[in-house]
């Protein structure tokens, strides 16, 4: 097994963290700005950074170190998932205050923190996260919501305040000017 340093290992570190620039990598691993460039120029193998990246991201250590194999190791489920164990939900992109339909996805019911009737997956470009929202809700409560205000759709943390208003960030909005589109029940983040 050959541990080749330089540009190939830096490229794998960037890919594992999901970074597009060396600057992002430098900030994440806490080295000097010229360090990564030196690794590339001298074909240095940064063992400590490789191990830390594997721990941070769950990416295969063998792949990070050598480039062989797959970045994410296959995981075998101990149980079989049947059709009744899956939830089909629409998937939409939220970008610049607008929703765009992308299709449907299936997700295991067991992954949902609560039972869900009418789910939707919202991929938010600005939050760099995905939100599972419940479109069928009985009451409006404080929390994270998919909302529309002033013609713009967003995911916001809202709080009911006296005077029939919602506090969104530091602004108080009349409740009649805020349309609740779905209650956020789950936030999906990615380490890779």
């Amino acid at each position: 097994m050959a541990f080749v340093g330089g540009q190939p290992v830096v490229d794998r570190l960037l890919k594992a963290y999901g970074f597009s620039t060396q600057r992002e990598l430098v900030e994440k691993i806490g080295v000097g700005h010229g360090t990564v460039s030196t690794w590339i120029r001298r074909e240095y193998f940064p063992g400590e950074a490789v191990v830390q990246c594997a721990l941070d991201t769950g990416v295969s250590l063998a792949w990070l170190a050598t480039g062989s194999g797959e970045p994410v190791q296959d995981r075998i489920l101990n149980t079989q998932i049947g059709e009744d164990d899956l939830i089909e939900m629409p998937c939409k992109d939220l970008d610049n205050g607008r929703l765009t339909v992308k299709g449907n996805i299936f997700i295991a019911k067991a992954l949902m923190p609560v039972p869900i009737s009418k789910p939707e997956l919202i991929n938010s470009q600005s939050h760099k996260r995905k939100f599972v929202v419940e479109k069928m809700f009985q009451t409006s409560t404080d929390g994270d919501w998919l909302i529309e205000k002033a013609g713009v759709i967003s995911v916001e943390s809202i709080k009911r305040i006296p005077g029939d208003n919602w506090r969104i960030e530091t602004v108080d909005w009349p409740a009649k000017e805020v349309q609740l589109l779905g209650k956020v029940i789950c936030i999906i983040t990615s380490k890779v």
Side-chain angles (χ1 to χ4, degrees):
M1 193 177 281
F3 298 105
V4 178
Q7 188 68 57
V9 76
V10 170
D11 289 343
R12 290 191 298 274
L13 288 169
L14 290 168
K15 184 175 180 179
Y17 279 119
F19 297 150
S20 56
T21 65
Q22 288 180 19
R23 170 175 285 234
E24 293 171 297
L25 180 61
V26 163
E27 290 172 5
K28 175 67 179 173
I29 61 179
V31 296
H33 290 288
T35 302
V36 174
S37 295
T38 301
W39 294 348
I40 293 169
R41 245 185 0 266
R42 295 185 180 172
E43 295 187 5
Y44 176 77
F45 181 79
E48 185 177 334
V50 167
V51 171
Q52 188 60 51
C53 179
L55 293 171
D56 288 346
T57 65
V59 168
S60 163
L61 180 59
W63 177 80
L64 277 170
T66 66
S68 62
E70 294 296 321
V72 179
Q73 297 173 343
D74 292 335
R75 293 181 177 92
I76 299 171
L77 296 176
N78 291 330
T79 60
Q80 291 186 348
I81 297 177
E83 195 172 309
D84 291 341
D85 299 321
L86 298 174
I87 301 171
E88 183 176 10
M89 67 178 79
C91 181
K92 299 180 179 178
D93 280 347
L94 176 59
D95 193 20
N96 293 320
R98 300 279 180 250
L99 286 175
T100 307
V101 177
K102 296 310 247 183
N104 289 352
I105 66 158
F106 290 89
I107 192 164
K109 286 180 185 176
L111 294 176
M112 293 294 101
V114 295
I116 191 163
S117 301
K118 193 172 179 190
E120 202 166 83
L121 182 70
I122 307 297
N123 179 29
S124 174
Q125 302 296 326
S126 62
H127 288 90
K128 296 183 180 165
R129 294 181 179 161
K130 294 175 177 29
F131 300 92
V132 176
V133 299
E134 172 63 87
K135 303 283 283 186
M136 296 252 317
F137 50 91
Q138 300 294 323
T139 58
S140 52
T141 59
D142 296 353
D144 294 331
W145 287 81
L146 178 68
I147 64 170
E148 183 175 349
K149 61 180 173 27
V152 176
I153 298 172
S154 61
V155 175
E156 302 285 348
S157 183
I158 64 175
K159 182 175 179 146
R160 180 72 84 168
I161 59 172
D164 200 26
N165 291 311
W166 285 110
R167 178 156 295 148
I168 304 170
E169 293 185 13
T170 59
V171 178
D172 297 344
W173 286 78
K176 64 183 177 192
E177 292 182 21
V178 178
Q179 182 180 2
L180 302 178
L181 303 175
K183 173 80 171 141
V184 174
I185 63 155
C186 180
I187 300 172
I188 302 170
T189 59
S190 175
K191 289 187 175 184
V192 179

